[in-house]
Every structure is written in structure tokens, then in C-alpha cells.
Amino acid sequence: MKRNYKLLLLVLLLAFASCGFTAKKFEDPNKDKLLIQLITYVLQEGHFDPQDINDNFSEAVFTDYLEQLDPFKRYFYASDIKEFEVYKTQLDDQIKAYDVLFFNITHERLLQRIEESKGIYKDVLSDSFDFSTAEEFSTDYKKLVYATSKKEMKERWRQQLKFSTIANYDDLLSDQESMLASVEEKIEESEVKSKKEIEAEAREDTQRSLDELYDFIDDRQRKDWFAVYINAIVEEFDPHTFYFAPEDKDRFDVAMSGNFEGIGARLQKKMDAILVNEIISGGPAWRQNKLEVGDQIMKVRQEDEEEGINIVGMRLDDAIKFIKGPKSTNVTLTLKKVDGTIEDITITRDIVELEETYAKSSTVIKDEKKFGVINLPKFYVDFEDYNKRNAASDIKKEIERLKAEGVEGLVLDLRNNGGGSLQTVVDMGGLFIEDGPIVQVKTAGEPKEVLKDRDKGIVWDGPLVILVNELSASASEILAAAMQDYKRAIVIGSKQTYGKGTVQNVLDLNRMVRQNSNGDMGALKFTTQKFYRINGGSTQLEGVKSDVVVPDRYSYINIGEKDQENPLEWDKIDPVDYNLWGSYYDYDTTIAKSKERMADNEQLKLIDANAQWVKKIRDREIYSLNYEDYKNALEINEEESKRFEKLSDYKTNLSFESLPYEVALMNKDSILKEKRNRWHTSLSKDVYIEEALNVLNDLKMTYKIKKVATTVKN
């Protein structure tokens, strides 16, 4: 009970100067030691699954920390690692003693090796590369061993730089060939660059990118590197536990308030790559509809610049500074798409438009029946006043409007919905059932809590299909799981959803320190609870498995909780009592019919083939450094990609319309009209929506759809 009381205080972010919780004092004058003391205490007392800080924990921190510092193994030597390994099983003892000896030793050596590497890369790039020799390069850096000599280290740099330069060489050569092909008049021979000149220019581009990267490395302060060490410790608990250094905390606070200007995407760093982790609903990137989850951002160019800045290898915080910017300014991103192609896109920065995160609906006629489609980008809520606006109440309004139009079935689209408010999920689930449990929540050391819909009224009692994909997470998974367990809805989509079955809270660490003279201590996000389905199973890792599985471009690539480092395990608890929905008599038959249609759908076969091709491209690790072979591989990929171009040509014969209240708004708002037209066009080309409507059409009901709910829920 004592631990639970402490956890309650942690979660509520209360001051620690009350009750018996002040027995622990945090007053170390050394900021580094104080930070370790704070974080380890919070995690041991408040994390859902506290880790034993022992030798195994020490080894994991040791390995992950060094991998983060030197992912390409081009700084540290084998002799450095041998020296560090003395501490491999001692970090647990150092953490408990708030000792930063290991960090100090590795930090000092890292700075030394980084300084030495400046001379190495400049020396390598002073000589030309021979792209006619037979040579291969592997991007599987995890299999690399540390260099044992300066000669080996220089050779490692040579190969990595040649790999970077051959891409620049191809770009420059292709640009010149395109220019020559497009110009009608004869060009003077002196204006045409030789291959030797192009190779030299390609090396200059490589060096310029590295010079810029090292400028940022040099700007990093000790506190920045220390935050890397702290996160190597806390991320052993689970992938959603993270330390926000003061500058990061400020950025997080701004993001949570919604008042930020940028492109509207969340990024993460893997190895030296900056990857798109989430497209924020309503943001500029979402509206433009070209940036995708899984894309790697390679270069960033401002609107007043001719050349973009290479951000490969750059610290995530530094890269974000280039991507963000004032409203109405343009930023051009050079992307490595999920299928391996390179593409430039220009996005106009803006403030995230909140209205685009809200629920929206449309009607469509299929086989002389009218159906409704509701899109929900997130489970939003007004935190200051729940009743003012929330996703559940908005969905209720949309359903009532659709019923007034006489719809006979409903599609709820939760694709790419990353979650949100727990209370809205419970309330929303209650719109579709009479009453009963929606989700179980477990806090470590406490009895489970069952969150129920207690209102016996039903807003929608007709056929229901829920669309999901690999990016449907958290609250989306709770709703889909509950409706699936009740056999209230048919879930169509990816093999499984994201698989995030945990809840996090953010604690301002400054609240824990009395009379702090050390400056801002930052904040800690940590996992405090776990979700469970009403059947007892967790959504953690396994997510929600679709009743009807349809392929998409993410089907074979690693996206989801199970692909993160150190995820919490899947487990189960006792189920709760609930009654299956009894209004359909052909639930299983409908699913079987849909699966049969899916197996014969040529568009889906092509999507599946594309997904397999994307995986093949992404899994490739061996590249030729012979330009003829390198170019040939690119051309083969380009030729293979052509057979997937017709994916975007797919169209249904379906026509989608806005509801009367929105039509009136659109007549006064041309921007809203354009947005809805774009959405309706997208729906008309969406094979997944098409199948969802087929499923609704198949469902046979033992009752009539009511125009108005028997009991309206408040």
C-alpha cells in the first residue's frame, strides 16, 4: 500500500513535501549524481515493471550505450572497448551509488576519438575513389567488429565514405545527363563535366556534409552526452520510458499544448538515420499526404538555400531544429522512401489544425443501400473540460446525423489512429453496446480496475465494421478489441495492430527537489499501467488481430511495439463477465465471404506483391561500390517499381457525400470544401473502404435499424 501511495503522488505530480514521502531527500550538489538519484528512485517506485538493477542490467546498459555513441564503429577501437569492459558488470553498482565514473571515462575517450576522426575522413576524401573496381559494402553495422589499428580504422572510413560518395556521384551524373537530354541547342564541350570532375564534386559534397555534421557534434555539451547515458539506463525499462533533458522537456511541453509550428511529424533516430515515426493528424505533412511513416529524412533544405544540409548521423534534436520553422515558410526534405526510392518533397510549415484531428463522416450508396463512414484520427479530449469537446461525444453526433440520413451500416475508420484519451474509449464503446466492461487496467501492485459502460442506451445498434492497420495503437486497440470480444463489429485490416498496451505519465523532476540550485533537471516519462482486453488478454505486443486480414505496404516490414527495444511482455489476467452481442446470425459467414473476396482481389494481390518488394529493398545490406553494378541495381529496382505504378490508378464506382450540415458549411468555406473533396476522392480509391462496405452489405440483421436510438446516451 505504501508503494501505491507513492505512485499516486508521482502520477499526480504532487509536491514531495508532504506525508511520509519526504523521508527521501534529493539534495546532492552534483547535478549528475542528483539526476541519477531522482530517476532511479522514480523508476523503482513508480514504473509498472521495475527492473532489477543487477549485472544483467549493467551489461545491457553497457552494450546499448556504446552502440548509441558509435553505431558505425568508426570512433572507438577494440582496445577502447577492452578497457571499457572492466565496467561491463559494474554499472549497476555505479548507478546505485550515483557514480558517473564510467560515463566520464567513455565521454573523454569519445571526444578524443571524434577529434582524431576529423583527420581521417579529410585524409580519405583527399584522394579520388575508383568506381571501376569490384568492391562491395555491407550496411549491417551490427556485424562489424571494432577496428584494431589505425590502418583498419582508415579502411572502414574509406569504405563508408565511398558508399556515401557513389550516391552523390550518381546524382550528379544523372543530373548532367538529364540536362543534356533536355537542352535543344548544342552545348559547348567545355560546359560538360568529365567523370573525373564529377567524382571530385561528389567527394566535395560528402566532405561538406561531414563538416556540417561535425560542427554540430562540436556544439554538443557534456550535458547533452550525459542525457544519452541516462536514456541508455531508463530505456532498459521499456521503449516508452524516456528522459527529457531541459531543452527536450521544453519541446515536449510545447508539443503537448499543440502550439508549435513545423511540418507535423514525429521523428525517431535509429542508428544514424532520422526516421518518420508518426504523421500528426491535421498537420502540414498530413494535409500534403506525401510523407509516410518509415521514411528516412536524409537532407533538409530551407527555401532560401540552394543546397540541403545532410542530417544523416546528426543528433535528433539538431535535425529537428532544421525541420521546424516559422509558419508559411517552405522546407524541402530529401527522403529515402519505405520502398528505397529517393524523393524530394516540399512542405509549407504551419500550425497543426486541430479541426482536422476531429471526427468527420460521409455517406455512400452501394447496391441501393446507404452506408456511413466515420474517420477518427485520434481519441481527442479537451483536458480542461471533458464535456466541452471529446471524441466520444463527437462520434455520437456524427452517428445521429448519419441515422437521420437513413444509413444501414457504419464503417469506423481507425487506421493511423495512435490513440489518446482512455475515458473517450470507454464512452465511445458504450455507443455500440447496451452496457458492460470495455477495458481492464492494471497498475503494478494494485487490483485490476474494470472500466465499464454503465448506460443501457445504445446510439448505434446496426452493422459495424472497424478498419485498422499497423499504426492503429493504444486507444484504437482498446476499442477494436472490445468490439471484437463482444462480436459487436468485424475488424478489417492488417494482420495485427501496433501492439501498445501501456500507459505513460510525465513527471517534472524539478518538483522533487527542494531549493534546487542545479538548474532545470528535466522530466521523466515512464510507464505506469497496462491495458487488458475484457477477455483477459493484453494488447501489448500482439495488438488486435483482424477478423479479415488485408495486405498493405507495411505488411512485411518491422513497424510496431514488438519491433522496439525492451518492450514489456505480453501477458493475460482473468477475463471479466460480458455478454456477446446477439443481433447478428451470420457473423462467421460474413467473415468467410470477405476472406474469399480478398483472396480474389487483384488490387490486393498487387498491394501484397508491392509490400514484399518493399521488404526486399529494405532488407538489402550488400551494395556494390562499382558504379556500373551500382547503377544497374538502381535501374533494376526502378524497372521493378513500374509494375506497381497502377496501384494509384485504382478507382471504385463509389461516390461519397458530406452530410447536409457540412454541405452548408462548405458553401461558406472553400478551404473546408477542398479538404472534404480530397477526402472523398481518397475514399473512392480506397480498396479497404470498398471491402468494408461489402461486409456491411453482407451482414444480415434480425432487427430493423432504428432511426433514433432507444435511449440516448449522455
Side-chain angles (χ1 to χ4, degrees), residues 240-498:
H240 304 290
T241 294
F242 187 82
Y243 168 66
F244 293 98
E247 185 177 279
D248 298 325
K249 180 172 74 74
D250 292 341
R251 186 180 298 115
F252 178 81
D253 291 342
V254 169
M256 289 300 288
S257 73
N259 298 317
F260 63 95
E261 297 177 355
I263 65 169
R266 290 193 174 92
L267 311 176
Q268 68 176 147
K269 187 170 182 179
K270 283 193 175 182
M271 298 291 283
D272 266 20
I274 306 294
L275 300 176
V276 178
N277 191 38
E278 179 185 351
I279 306 296
I280 300 172
S281 299
W286 180 87
R287 296 197 301 272
Q288 188 204 46
N289 204 28
K290 291 183 179 179
L291 191 67
E292 297 178 288
V293 170
D295 287 348
Q296 178 188 348
I297 302 177
M298 302 174 69
K299 292 183 180 180
V300 181
R301 178 167 60 84
Q302 311 305 321
E303 59 186 9
D304 58 349
E305 296 176 342
E306 291 187 5
E307 291 289 331
I309 291 177
N310 190 323
I311 63 170
V312 176
M314 191 177 289
R315 194 168 65 118
L316 182 60
D317 298 338
D318 294 328
I320 288 173
K321 290 174 184 174
F322 286 102
I323 297 168
K324 289 176 67 177
K327 178 181 177 180
S328 300
T329 58
N330 292 326
V331 60
T332 299
L333 308 178
T334 299
L335 306 174
K336 183 177 183 181
K337 303 292 289 180
V338 292
D339 61 4
T341 57
I342 306 299
E343 180 181 338
D344 282 355
I345 66 169
T346 299
I347 301 175
T348 302
R349 300 178 178 105
D350 201 352
I351 297 173
V352 173
E353 294 183 21
L354 291 178
E355 68 268 17
E356 289 298 343
T357 70
Y358 296 149
K360 60 189 177 212
S361 65
S362 175
T363 59
V364 59
I365 303 291
K366 181 173 177 59
D367 296 340
E368 300 181 351
K369 293 179 182 176
K370 183 179 285 189
F371 298 112
V373 176
I374 299 179
N375 176 270
L376 184 68
K378 64 187 292 187
F379 287 79
Y380 51 84
V381 64
D382 186 323
F383 286 102
E384 293 183 2
D385 183 358
Y386 183 82
N387 292 322
K388 184 177 180 181
R389 186 159 202 180
N390 63 76
S393 61
D394 280 1
I395 290 289
K396 175 188 165 187
K397 289 177 185 176
E398 294 302 324
I399 292 173
E400 289 172 340
R401 289 163 173 161
L402 289 167
K403 286 168 65 175
E405 294 300 304
V407 299
E408 299 185 48
L410 186 63
V411 177
L412 181 58
D413 189 353
L414 299 180
R415 290 176 295 176
N416 305 313
N417 184 322
S421 164
L422 177 60
Q423 184 60 50
T424 61
V425 184
V426 177
D427 291 346
M428 197 178 298
L431 302 177
F432 305 110
I433 62 171
E434 187 173 349
D435 62 357
I438 300 296
V439 65
Q440 304 185 78
V441 183
K442 189 85 169 59
T443 302
E446 294 184 10
K448 71 180 183 183
E449 181 182 6
V450 181
L451 304 183
K452 300 180 178 181
D453 165 47
R454 301 183 184 279
D455 186 337
K456 289 186 176 293
I458 302 175
V459 175
W460 177 254
D461 59 358
L464 178 64
V465 168
I466 295 179
L467 282 179
V468 297
N469 63 5
E470 293 90 347
L471 301 177
S472 302
S474 193
S476 291
E477 296 174 291
I478 293 171
L479 182 63
M483 296 300 101
Q484 191 178 60
D485 289 344
Y486 277 109
K487 285 206 167 186
R488 174 63 186 93
I490 291 178
V491 178
I492 298 177
S494 53
K495 184 176 180 181
Q496 70 161 75
T497 52
Y498 190 87

Side-chain angles (χ1 to χ4, degrees), residues 13 35 96 106 156 228 230 295 385 398 435 437 570 622 630 668 714:
L13 307 184
L35 187 56
K96 291 173 184 176
T106 52
R156 176 157 300 166
V228 175
I230 291 294
D295 287 348
D385 183 358
E398 294 302 324
D435 62 357
W570 178 90
I622 303 298
Y630 178 89
K668 300 176 182 178
N714 295 318

Side-chain angles (χ1 to χ4, degrees), residues 440-442 448 532-533 535-538 571-575:
Q440 304 185 78
V441 183
K442 189 85 169 59
K448 71 180 183 183
Y532 295 87
R533 301 171 68 135
N535 69 7
S538 172
D571 64 342
K572 60 181 179 179
I573 59 177
D574 292 336

Side-chain angles (χ1 to χ4, degrees), residues 53-119:
I53 299 182
N54 52 25
D55 287 355
N56 290 335
F57 184 89
S58 176
E59 289 185 23
V61 172
F62 178 90
T63 301
D64 291 345
Y65 173 57
L66 292 180
E67 188 174 286
Q68 288 182 49
L69 290 184
D70 189 12
F72 292 169
K73 296 186 175 69
R74 62 186 188 186
Y75 297 138
F76 290 131
Y77 289 86
S79 58
D80 295 323
I81 303 303
K82 185 176 181 181
E83 184 179 337
F84 298 157
E85 282 182 340
V86 173
Y87 304 97
K88 194 169 187 177
T89 59
Q90 296 180 19
L91 297 187
D92 54 323
D93 302 312
Q94 290 189 18
I95 291 168
K96 291 173 184 176
Y98 320 130
D99 187 349
V100 294
L101 175 63
F102 177 69
F103 168 75
N104 287 336
I105 290 172
T106 52
H107 178 241
E108 183 178 338
R109 186 63 52 82
L110 177 66
L111 296 184
Q112 176 190 338
R113 297 308 188 201
I114 287 175
E115 193 61 33
E116 292 171 358
S117 70
K118 294 177 184 178

